[in-house]
Amino acid sequence: MVRGKALAHCGLVLLSLWLCIQSVPISVDKTKEIPHEELEPPQSADTGLHYDRYLREVIEYLEKDPHFKEKLKNANMDDIKLGKLSKELDFVHHNFRTKLDELKREEMNRLRMLIKVKQDIQGGNGRTVDHHALLKQFEHLNHLNPETFEVEDLDRLIKSATNDLENYDKDRHDEFKRYEMMKEHDRRERLKNMNEEDRKKEQQHYEEMRKKHASHPKVNHPGSQDQLKEVWQEADGMDPEDFDPKTFFKMHDSNGDGFFDESELEALFTKELEKVYNPENEEDDMIEMEEERLRMREHVMNEVDTNKDRLVSMSEFIAATKKQEFLEKDEWEVRARFCRKV
């Protein structure tokens, strides 16, 4: 469950690189030699996708091509989804194309091994092998051409990653619901195996823990003036009367790229979450805390991210602080259901 923050936001930050690529080809001297580079582990953060390493290595090698990097300017998501960006692969230097071929062959070998293991497990358990589900593992590349990385491979990779990352939060919510259901099931099974006296004691203890968990200070609405001022005062050591949205943004744009990505946004909610969850308390579940963090981030994104690129620019942030919603005084309702771990 807790692949947590590293997922979604970091993968989307990687994809946001594509949002800046123009679709008009440029003249490239492909005969100019570029030094040979060894394959190294990708430096960017894990996206959480099953083809994460392949995605990050492809992106990072394409960024190393000087002419491709020149295209990192002004395209939109529609251009990307229509495959206009993928055509730029024809202008990537042959040294990097060779590396991309190598990456694809490694990914093909990984997937073949993965498919074989899954088939062996399913067959060994007497289950019918779901070939359609297994083939979905290959959707991010053209498996009919296992040797070379072509325009279709880049197109498939972008479309698959875009779709998978857009649905990632939903998958996290669904996974959390399954976790909660299983936790409640385990608790009830434990009660069944107790005698009447122990069962009453356990139920009484459960109710005490539930009430203790529900007793916490007011949780400010995420993204509201009160919530941000609390961060400004308690985390930044600043006078709340001197709160300045532009300065606040710069202070919390940790990588200095001019945007709040999902990780940077989620970090802003730590003070609010600490009012409800404490890892040292028996009644507090840190998995529930991460579900609440996700809800807070989704709320702010829906309110502030006007162009829906899943990044918050300074202009979007400043505009949000001028809305009536910014003055929201109502307490944020913590929805993650209490169910003490057994």
Side-chain angles (χ1 to χ4, degrees):
M1 160 67 189
V2 189
R3 288 173 289 188
K5 298 180 289 184
L7 146 67
H9 74 270
C10 291
L12 292 166
V13 169
L14 287 173
L15 283 180
S16 70
L17 295 171
W18 303 115
L19 293 174
C20 301
I21 300 175
Q22 294 178 335
S23 59
V24 180
I26 59 174
S27 176
V28 177
D29 180 5
K30 299 179 74 173
T31 63
K32 185 176 180 180
E33 191 59 33
I34 292 179
H36 177 79
E37 294 195 39
E38 294 298 323
L39 286 174
E40 297 177 353
Q43 299 301 308
S44 48
D46 195 327
T47 65
L49 303 177
H50 80 85
Y51 49 93
D52 165 75
R53 179 167 180 137
Y54 176 67
L55 169 65
R56 291 188 290 143
E57 287 182 330
V58 167
I59 290 176
E60 291 182 18
Y61 262 99
L62 285 172
E63 284 191 285
K64 291 178 181 179
D65 181 85
H67 299 287
F68 195 89
K69 195 167 185 177
E70 285 185 25
K71 308 296 283 184
L72 298 177
K73 291 183 181 175
N74 298 309
N76 55 45
M77 185 59 78
D78 289 336
D79 289 338
I80 296 171
K81 290 181 177 180
L82 290 172
K84 294 181 179 179
L85 169 63
S86 303
K87 295 181 177 63
E88 298 300 329
L89 183 66
D90 289 333
F91 299 90
V92 171
H93 193 277
H94 67 85
N95 277 9
F96 294 120
R97 288 296 296 270
T98 299
K99 287 299 181 184
L100 293 173
D101 294 342
E102 184 178 340
L103 291 175
K104 180 179 178 180
R105 289 193 292 270
E106 290 179 355
E107 179 70 356
M108 287 293 299
N109 289 335
R110 183 189 72 84
L111 291 173
R112 285 169 179 152
M113 185 177 298
L114 177 65
I115 296 300
K116 185 179 186 306
V117 170
K118 288 187 175 182
Q119 287 176 325
D120 290 345
I121 292 175
Q122 290 176 1
N125 292 335
R127 290 181 292 169
T128 301
V129 177
D130 187 345
H131 294 285
H132 177 71
L134 293 178
L135 284 175
K136 285 183 68 67
Q137 304 286 331
F138 288 91
E139 287 187 343
H140 59 287
L141 48 70
N142 176 17
H143 64 278
L144 298 178
N145 170 22
E147 297 298 325
T148 59
F149 188 97
E150 306 294 343
V151 169
E152 183 179 353
D153 292 293
L154 182 54
D155 189 41
R156 281 174 176 252
L157 182 59
I158 294 171
K159 289 179 178 178
S160 293
T162 302
N163 180 68
D164 292 343
L165 289 167
E166 285 176 350
N167 292 321
Y168 185 76
D169 286 347
K170 178 182 180 300
D171 292 341
R172 283 180 65 188
H173 286 309
D174 291 343
E175 192 172 345
F176 175 75
K177 289 177 183 177
R178 290 191 293 271
Y179 166 79
E180 290 283 85
M181 291 174 63
M182 183 58 66
K183 191 168 65 170
E184 175 65 13
H185 170 77
D186 291 344
R187 189 184 74 86
R188 293 183 179 183
E189 287 298 310
R190 183 169 178 241
L191 290 174
K192 285 181 182 179
N193 295 323
M194 294 179 177
N195 59 43
E196 186 65 23
E197 182 179 355
D198 289 342
R199 188 180 299 115
K200 287 182 178 179
K201 289 181 180 179
E202 177 63 22
Q203 283 288 66
Q204 181 180 359
H205 182 59
Y206 176 81
E207 289 301 318
E208 290 173 354
M209 293 298 97
R210 185 183 65 79
K211 291 177 181 178
K212 183 179 178 181
H213 176 74
S215 177
H216 55 74
K218 175 186 175 182
V219 178
N220 292 312
H221 222 74
S224 68
Q225 183 182 62
D226 286 346
Q227 190 260 312
L228 297 184
K229 278 190 173 183
E230 192 168 89
V231 175
W232 175 265
Q233 181 178 13
E234 296 188 14
D236 302 332
M238 306 288 282
D239 186 337
E241 298 301 317
D242 295 331
F243 178 77
D244 177 67
K246 186 174 182 180
T247 302
F248 181 92
F249 186 94
K250 290 181 177 179
M251 290 174 65
H252 292 274
D253 175 18
S254 57
N255 63 5
D257 65 355
F259 296 90
F260 278 162
D261 60 32
E262 295 181 346
S263 175
E264 290 164 333
L265 269 182
E266 290 182 3
L268 298 179
F269 312 137
T270 298
K271 288 293 179 182
E272 300 304 316
L273 293 167
E274 286 176 349
K275 297 175 182 178
V276 185
Y277 301 96
N278 184 335
E280 297 181 0
N281 292 343
E282 177 187 6
E283 69 276 9
D284 294 340
D285 186 336
M286 295 302 101
I287 293 179
E288 287 185 359
M289 182 184 74
E290 291 306 318
E291 170 72 3
E292 199 59 47
R293 190 190 300 274
L294 172 58
R295 286 188 60 242
M296 289 180 168
R297 188 251 292 162
E298 287 180 324
H299 170 77
V300 173
M301 279 292 190
N302 288 334
E303 294 289 326
V304 180
D305 179 24
T306 54
N307 67 356
K308 303 305 177 185
D309 64 353
R310 303 194 66 163
L311 296 168
V312 175
S313 66
M314 179 181 285
S315 60
E316 287 174 325
F317 180 76
I318 299 300
T321 64
K322 298 177 180 179
K323 295 179 180 179
Q324 183 63 33
E325 291 81 359
F326 184 62
L327 303 177
E328 175 67 67
K329 294 290 185 180
D330 291 342
E331 181 172 1
W332 174 257
E333 180 183 357
V334 178
R335 290 185 184 175
R337 182 172 63 85
F338 171 81
C339 178
R340 188 170 64 87
K341 292 181 286 186
V342 298

